[in-house]
Amino acid sequence: MSTEPVEDLAEVSVSEAPVAVQAVQWFSQAARQLQDAAGWHDTVQRIVELAAALVEADLAVIIASSPADDRPRVLAATDFARADAMLAGQNTAGVVPARQAMADRAVIHVPDLTVQGSWSNRQAGTLSVPLRCVLAFPLLIDDQPLASLGLYAQQPGAFSDEVVELAASFAEHAAIAFNAAALAEKITNLTVALEHARDIGAAVGIIMGLLHITQSEAFDRLRVASQHRNVKLYEVALVTVHTGEVPG
């Protein structure tokens, strides 16, 4: 999708109206998907899935840091294995754009990691996962960063100025959904939440291997089981991790 954000529909011309309507419809559908999520971990997973679809990213990740060691970890990703490999390389290189977005409370857009000045000088550990273009947003509530949404593409210059603006609008919605879901589930210990995210990623990997299905399909298995059993998503994931069984 490559539409432009519209702040005031009353100012939209007749020729721009179809584009504006498309954007409004997409955001309405995204809001419903986030509202229907099965708990906080499902909410953050839906955020990355929606963000990746919105800007056609090759990888979307939400990271956060544990108060215990300030080391960024993956909370949700469209590809857990790829996200872990990328973040490990970035940690080794000592530069994590998504964490920098949180620290600066600002958008970071690097069209090409191999030629972008100071960024390119510190990317040796990141290019084992060939993602050249990065766009990162802090998820802010009352100017306090909760986490960071990172969008990555293999193609340099993949995110145009219009896409950046559209993704920035979605990041604001994502921060609200992230915070509301955390409050609803009373998530106060981020360290525990991060550990649960690792369990979910492990469970998804197990299900993918056993059933030979995609990550999205494997995660849907956890979602459905969580909703049907009326238990938290990470609790379903823990059963799979401990038993190796696919949730029915």
Side-chain angles (χ1 to χ4, degrees):
M1 183 175 179
S2 59
T3 57
E4 295 184 2
V6 178
E7 296 182 359
D8 188 351
L9 290 178
E11 297 179 359
V12 177
S13 68
V14 173
S15 62
E16 294 172 327
V19 172
V21 170
Q22 183 185 9
V24 170
Q25 289 176 339
W26 189 92
F27 274 90
S28 296
Q29 293 169 359
R32 283 194 291 271
Q33 289 193 39
L34 293 174
Q35 186 176 32
D36 292 340
W40 183 73
H41 283 100
D42 190 17
T43 297
V44 294
Q45 183 63 27
R46 291 190 186 214
I47 288 172
V48 295
E49 292 170 359
L50 287 164
L54 178 63
V55 304
E56 299 181 350
D58 293 309
L59 177 67
V61 179
I62 288 180
I63 69 163
S65 298
S66 166
D69 58 15
D70 196 38
R71 189 175 180 84
R73 294 186 175 90
V74 174
L75 270 177
T78 51
D79 184 328
F80 284 104
R82 198 177 194 190
D84 283 337
M86 178 199 66
L87 190 57
Q90 290 182 343
N91 281 325
T92 299
V95 53
V96 183
R99 180 172 62 179
Q100 194 65 44
M102 280 192 290
D104 295 345
R105 293 172 172 78
V107 177
I108 288 184
H109 180 203
V110 186
D112 190 343
L113 288 168
T114 65
V115 299
Q116 189 72 12
S118 61
W119 286 103
S120 65
N121 296 333
R122 297 179 288 167
Q123 294 302 317
T126 72
L127 296 179
S128 58
V129 181
L131 297 166
R132 298 269 299 274
C133 184
V134 58
L135 181 58
F137 301 91
L139 301 184
L140 302 172
I141 293 292
D142 296 330
D143 200 41
Q144 295 302 310
L146 305 175
S148 183
L149 171 63
L151 304 170
Y152 301 85
Q154 297 181 33
Q155 182 68 29
F159 306 131
S160 66
D161 291 342
E162 291 80 5
V163 167
V164 173
E165 291 180 14
L166 192 60
S169 296
F170 176 70
E172 293 183 11
H173 289 269
I176 294 169
F178 182 107
N179 190 53
L183 292 175
E185 204 163 303
K186 295 182 173 59
I187 292 179
T188 57
N189 189 329
L190 185 57
T191 301
V192 174
L194 285 162
E195 290 302 317
H196 288 163
R198 295 182 66 183
D199 293 330
I200 291 169
V204 166
I206 292 170
I207 297 170
M208 290 172 65
L210 290 174
L211 300 184
H212 304 291
I213 59 178
T214 67
Q215 176 177 300
S216 179
E217 291 169 331
F219 203 98
D220 282 341
R221 286 269 181 161
L222 295 177
R223 283 179 176 140
V224 171
S226 171
Q227 291 168 337
H228 285 182
R229 300 178 189 179
N230 195 28
V231 297
K232 290 181 172 58
L233 193 144
Y234 74 82
E235 293 175 340
V236 178
L238 281 173
V239 173
T240 296
V241 170
H242 292 157
T243 66
E245 297 178 356
V246 175

